Amino acid sequence: MRSLEDLEGSGAETVSSEELAIRGQTTAAQVRKDLSHFGSFGKRGLGYNVDELRHRLRHILGVDRVWKVALIGAGRIGSALFEYPAFESRGYECVAIIDSDPEKIGSRWSSLEIHAPDDLESLLGSLGVELVILAVPARVAQEMADRAVNAGIQGILNFAPIRLKVPVHVPVEDVNLVMQLEALSFAVTQRGPDL
Amino acid sequence: MRSLEDLEGSGAETVSSEELAIRGQTTAAQVRKDLSHFGSFGKRGLGYNVDELRHRLRHILGVDRVWKVALIGAGRIGSALFEYPAFESRGYECVAIIDSDPEKIGSRWSSLEIHAPDDLESLLGSLGVELVILAVPARVAQEMADRAVNAGIQGILNFAPIRLKVPVHVPVEDVNLVMQLEALSFAVTQRGPDL
DNA sequence: TTGTGTGAATCCCTTCACAGCG
DNA sequence: CGCTGTGAAGGGATTCACACAA
């Protein structure tokens, strides 16, 4: 089993399912089954070509291109996300920011102006926004989601602690930090009264 | 089927698995199986007593008490979490904040002083911290996790995009926003080239 | 010989269906 | 009767095991 450095260096061209399994905390059989789901691009006796594997996976995941993202809600969560360097480096380009706070409207976050929600549809539509990060209070989340969907967006990363009602063709990914904390409380509690 | 208001009012004392299923976007059979896992506290012909159900579930989830939480990393994510009202209202009390930025050390977030990481172990130990929210850069996440575990904490909510190595008795809940965005990209991509 | 790709066996979770209690 | 609790059936995912390609 080689180390990470070996893999990243110019030496290794190939990885085995066994090796991938260890990194991904699964089993070799699982890795092979999963990959075979998308075609068979491994070489028997050798393993998977690293470059090809990366290329294929990036394509399957849809991360081999830049996605146009709009940030709806410029509060603390929105700002944390906006500043998070990984987003841009991973291919998510924020092209619009929307907030209803009159204090914020018109101001800029590094050259990007914050817009009022009024012209949300035309703004998202004209910019060709594909994904929306919804970081607004729960009471307005459904309305903003509806309007974003009307504007033709294709997916929503939802931080509001409600179950959004959207058409089936619009995937929603929920981020619910309270639920995750509760999952942690549950795990700690289950693990037995201490230790 | 009754509305949320009915349930919360003083009128209804009981819910059926069918009703719970609709709210939870699942099936009645699933609800009954899940609940039966923790004992049988429904009444045949009637359903589940709402007060008892809430009480039992809160106990099972471990949210029928206040958890002492430490925030390690007072950056944007940390600040967003700290200000998020749901945390305190849901029973998570932040009793310590730790950050390595000299600019921040000694300053206060609403009466809570920001501490240097130096005395992390003794600080968490003396305060009886149970859960840690780890919101630091990836390169220092493992070290902070190790030290928190040494201080005797029982669970970690991890925002760093790495797989923490911790003893099996310390549950870790990962929050990986880039992965969730990628899951969204995948879902949108799979759904077929547009619509 | 090594390690993939894949049918077959297995496991686990969901769904069904109904006996039985209130 | 109405609705829970639960064995039994069903289905999807994981694991096994091995033929076969490099």
Side-chain angles (χ1 to χ4, degrees), chain A residues 23-25 38 59-63 65 67 69 76-77 79-81 83-84 86-87 90 92 131-133 154-157 159 161 163 168-178 180-191 194-195, chain B residues 23-25 38 59-63 65 67 69 76-77 79-81 83-84 86-87 90 92 131-133 154-157 159 161 163 168-178 180-191 194-195:
Chain A
R23 290 165 190 276
Q25 309 251 96
F38 299 104
H59 183 70
I60 291 164
L61 284 174
V63 295
R65 65 188 204 72
W67 291 85
V69 177
R76 300 197 173 258
I77 294 176
S79 120
L81 292 177
E83 303 287 329
Y84 191 35
F87 280 120
R90 293 297 210 96
Y92 298 92
L131 304 178
V132 156
I133 296 177
Q154 297 172 48
I156 300 175
L157 185 69
F159 283 82
R163 204 185 299 272
V168 281
H169 66 273
V170 179
V172 174
E173 190 76 20
D174 287 298
V175 181
N176 190 326
L177 299 174
V178 169
Q180 288 204 262
L181 259 186
E182 289 178 351
L184 194 59
S185 306
F186 177 65
V188 171
T189 305
Q190 287 309 97
R191 193 213 45 189
D194 230 339
L195 210 117
Chain B
R23 290 164 190 277
Q25 306 252 97
F38 299 105
H59 183 71
I60 292 164
L61 284 174
V63 295
R65 65 189 205 71
W67 291 86
V69 177
R76 299 195 174 261
I77 293 176
S79 121
L81 291 177
E83 302 287 327
Y84 191 34
F87 280 122
R90 293 299 209 97
Y92 298 93
L131 304 178
V132 155
I133 296 177
Q154 299 173 47
I156 299 176
L157 185 69
F159 282 82
R163 204 185 301 271
V168 281
H169 66 273
V170 178
V172 174
E173 189 74 21
D174 287 298
V175 181
N176 190 325
L177 299 173
V178 168
Q180 290 206 261
L181 258 185
E182 289 177 351
L184 194 58
S185 305
F186 177 63
V188 170
T189 304
Q190 286 308 96
R191 195 212 44 189
D194 229 341
L195 209 117

Side-chain angles (χ1 to χ4, degrees), chain A residues 138 161-163 165, chain B residues 1-15 19-20 22-24 50-51 54 90:
Chain A
I162 64 168
R163 204 185 299 272
K165 289 186 183 65
Chain B
M1 163 72 181
R2 280 167 283 125
S3 72
L4 183 59
E5 288 68 40
D6 292 334
L7 248 195
E8 286 183 336
S10 56
E13 264 111 41
T14 215
V15 228
E19 204 162 340
L20 290 169
I22 293 170
R23 290 164 190 277
V50 175
D51 284 337
R54 173 168 44 230
R90 293 299 209 97

